[in-house]
Amino acid sequence: MNLASVLSLLAACLLSLVAGQEYKEAVELSSANHDHVLGSATVVFVAFCADWCPFSRRLKPIFEESAKVFHQENPQASAIWAIVDSQRQADIGDKYFVNKYPTMKVFVNGELISKEYRSTRSVEALTNFVKYQLSTAINEFSSQDQLSQEIDKSKRNVVAWLKKDGPEFANLKKVASILREDCSFWVPTDHFGTQTTENKLSFFDPDTNEEAKFTGNFNDYDFVKQWVTDKCIPLVREVTFENVEELTEEGMPFLIYFRDPDNKSTDKVFGEAVARELYDQRAAINPLLADGHKFAHPLKHLGKTKEDLPVLAIDSFQHMYLFPDMTQMNVPGKLREFVMDLHSGKLHKEFHENLDQRMIELAKAKAARGITDDHDTQAPSARPIDTTPPPSVFKELKPSDKRYSILQKSEL
């Protein structure tokens, strides 16, 4: 171990000791102590509260009690529990784009983890969450056979061969703690790891079964983190009822590919189309895969059923728009045109222009399937027609006002 590594280790130990002595209870996070607090422990768990919010008033004593219990049970743990008074410290809430109360975020090694805490608000659940964040995010293997047996090839995996007393491993450890929910990280045990003479880092893609090898500088933490992040967080993600709340909070319209869960063969085709056509739209559209059986309700709003899968649509959080012809999805430029037409307002305009024709076609399709409505006795052209696109379904899956006080845009 070189001198720089020794000094870094001593500094970390001293920082952990100071944090343990200084913060035995929940501390108030302010602009004045923000940088000091976030840099004083491995894990900093922060609750953004507002006195006017009833959910915050309920959480605050539980959060404070959790901090006391945690430190009593784990006196040497490098963790700080902090509360932000979002009325007095509005700039901190703005810094982290807090738009609902209470919001609980976690920082590891001074860096914000993308996933918020959204689970049970109890002492047991909160303390277990912090313990989990402090636990190692890296799995070990003692042989190639053990790795082959234990690694889950359906998940995204990062396998590294690095000396554990060097800065390269320290960088990987920090990255793993941030991306532990997105990737599984593997390193050899000390004995098995001595068999390698060079640093190696590989990513194994479950969709393609291909290995991507890192060729950059292992000592450049930002570069390593960016490389692993790009691999662990795919361009196209799966939307589920468990993660839809946090996906809606990213604020970008959904480009949703509904497909049969028993036939995911076209997932790769959709992913390749997104990568090819929407390479510059990562900050403007959220490409997602969806189980067309579980998410039957949005399909119904589009006039579709599981028999029509796969189906592609945009949910703008105001309205839903259907990709008109699935056979055209891989035609160069068609997918991009669909997304660009959303941004320009053309989709909404065309919806009104083509509404009558679509209503007639829908009526014909229903008739062909034997679907009839008792009240639907008028000819399509004679019935009153709703002239707005189908309303957003996914906006109803945003954070619940039964758990949060949600700020309106005018209040931000």
Side-chain angles (χ1 to χ4, degrees):
M1 185 180 292
N2 57 35
L3 179 60
S5 298
V6 172
L7 292 175
S8 177
L9 181 60
L10 287 174
C13 292
L14 180 60
L15 207 57
S16 175
L17 180 62
V18 170
Q21 296 293 329
E22 190 175 357
Y23 302 112
K24 291 294 186 183
E25 299 180 353
V27 62
E28 182 175 338
L29 188 65
S30 66
S31 298
N33 68 2
H34 173 274
D35 293 347
H36 174 71
V37 170
L38 294 190
S40 293
T42 302
V43 171
V44 180
F45 192 25
V46 183
F48 293 81
C49 298
D51 288 342
W52 53 263
C53 164
F55 307 109
S56 294
R57 292 198 296 270
R58 291 176 203 164
L59 171 68
K60 191 172 180 181
I62 297 172
F63 194 86
E64 291 172 336
E65 178 64 20
S66 300
K68 291 178 183 178
V69 170
F70 178 84
H71 284 298
Q72 287 170 359
E73 296 178 349
N74 308 274
Q76 302 303 317
S78 179
I80 295 174
W81 298 60
I83 296 175
V84 176
D85 182 333
S86 295
Q87 287 178 280
R88 293 169 50 207
Q89 304 294 336
D91 55 331
I92 299 181
D94 292 343
K95 179 181 178 69
Y96 297 110
F97 304 100
V98 174
N99 60 5
K100 66 185 185 309
Y101 299 115
T103 289
M104 286 178 274
K105 294 180 179 287
V106 63
F107 297 80
V108 178
N109 297 312
E111 293 192 60
L112 176 65
I113 304 301
S114 61
K115 296 181 186 296
E116 297 175 3
Y117 179 83
R118 299 172 186 268
S119 191
T120 306
R121 297 169 185 172
S122 69
V123 172
E124 181 181 10
L126 294 172
T127 54
N128 283 340
F129 173 74
V130 175
K131 289 176 186 176
Y132 172 70
Q133 294 300 327
L134 284 166
S135 66
T136 181
I138 297 180
N139 306 290
E140 290 190 338
F141 58 93
S142 59
S143 67
Q144 198 66 43
D145 287 341
Q146 183 190 0
L147 177 64
S148 300
Q149 290 172 7
E150 294 187 6
I151 198 168
D152 185 347
K153 294 182 180 179
S154 68
K155 295 182 178 180
R156 296 173 179 273
N157 290 283
V158 174
V159 180
W161 297 75
L162 303 168
K163 293 181 179 179
K164 293 184 180 177
D165 60 351
E168 300 90 347
F169 182 75
N171 283 342
L172 178 70
K173 217 175 157 185
K174 288 171 66 177
V175 171
S177 66
I178 295 170
L179 296 171
R180 65 193 306 163
E181 300 297 328
D182 303 291
C183 261
S184 294
F185 291 83
W186 298 84
V187 297
T189 57
D190 290 337
H191 174 70
F192 189 49
T194 58
Q195 299 178 24
T196 185
T197 57
E198 61 176 330
N199 292 326
K200 293 186 290 185
L201 178 66
S202 294
F203 168 78
F204 293 89
D205 191 324
D207 299 321
T208 62
N209 293 319
E210 294 177 353
E211 176 184 2
K213 295 182 178 180
F214 178 76
T215 58
N217 182 359
F218 285 92
N219 292 307
D220 186 338
Y221 170 71
D222 290 332
F223 189 81
V224 173
K225 183 177 74 169
Q226 189 60 56
W227 187 86
V228 177
T229 299
D230 288 344
K231 298 292 185 289
C232 290
I233 302 178
L235 182 60
V236 179
R237 293 172 287 177
E238 178 96 17
V239 59
T240 65
F241 286 112
E242 288 73 31
N243 70 3
V244 66
E245 181 179 281
E246 62 190 78
L247 289 174
T248 61
E249 285 202 281
E250 293 178 4
M252 294 179 291
F254 287 178
L255 176 66
I256 315 165
Y257 186 73
F258 299 93
R259 83 291 197 221
D260 187 329
D262 296 325
N263 182 16
K264 298 182 179 180
S265 59
T266 56
D267 288 8
K268 184 179 178 182
V269 175
F270 176 63
E272 290 174 346
V274 168
R276 182 179 64 250
E277 301 280 338
L278 305 174
Y279 54 87
D280 59 346
Q281 294 296 303
R282 193 156 192 168
I285 196 79
N286 210 338
L288 301 168
L289 299 165
D291 183 328
H293 293 183
K294 290 181 179 178
F295 286 97
H297 185 55
L299 285 176
K300 183 178 178 182
H301 273 249
L302 293 164
K304 299 291 184 179
T305 71
K306 63 181 182 181
E307 304 300 326
D308 299 302
L309 297 173
V311 170
L312 181 63
I314 288 175
D315 190 318
S316 70
F317 299 138
Q318 293 295 324
H319 301 293
M320 296 188 75
Y321 302 96
L322 188 66
F323 188 73
D325 184 354
M326 288 301 294
T327 65
Q328 298 289 299
M329 189 182 77
N330 279 318
V331 174
K334 289 294 183 180
L335 183 60
R336 183 176 183 82
E337 180 183 5
F338 183 51
V339 172
M340 296 288 89
D341 285 351
L342 169 74
H343 298 326
S344 70
K346 186 178 178 181
L347 286 183
H348 197 278
K349 180 172 178 287
E350 286 186 342
F351 183 90
H352 293 287
E353 292 175 348
N354 301 327
L355 183 63
D356 286 342
Q357 182 60 35
R358 284 206 305 275
M359 289 295 289
I360 292 171
E361 291 174 357
L362 181 60
K364 289 179 179 178
K366 283 184 175 181
R369 294 183 184 183
I371 302 173
T372 59
D373 298 320
D374 292 339
H375 62 279
D376 207 12
T377 56
Q378 292 176 293
S381 59
R383 291 196 307 269
I385 293 175
D386 181 2
T387 58
T388 59
S392 168
V393 172
F394 284 91
K395 74 175 181 180
E396 303 301 328
L397 300 176
K398 287 185 175 184
S400 169
D401 58 9
K402 292 181 173 26
R403 278 176 56 84
Y404 301 97
S405 295
I406 301 170
L407 297 181
Q408 303 301 317
K409 286 187 177 180
S410 59
E411 298 177 284
L412 295 177

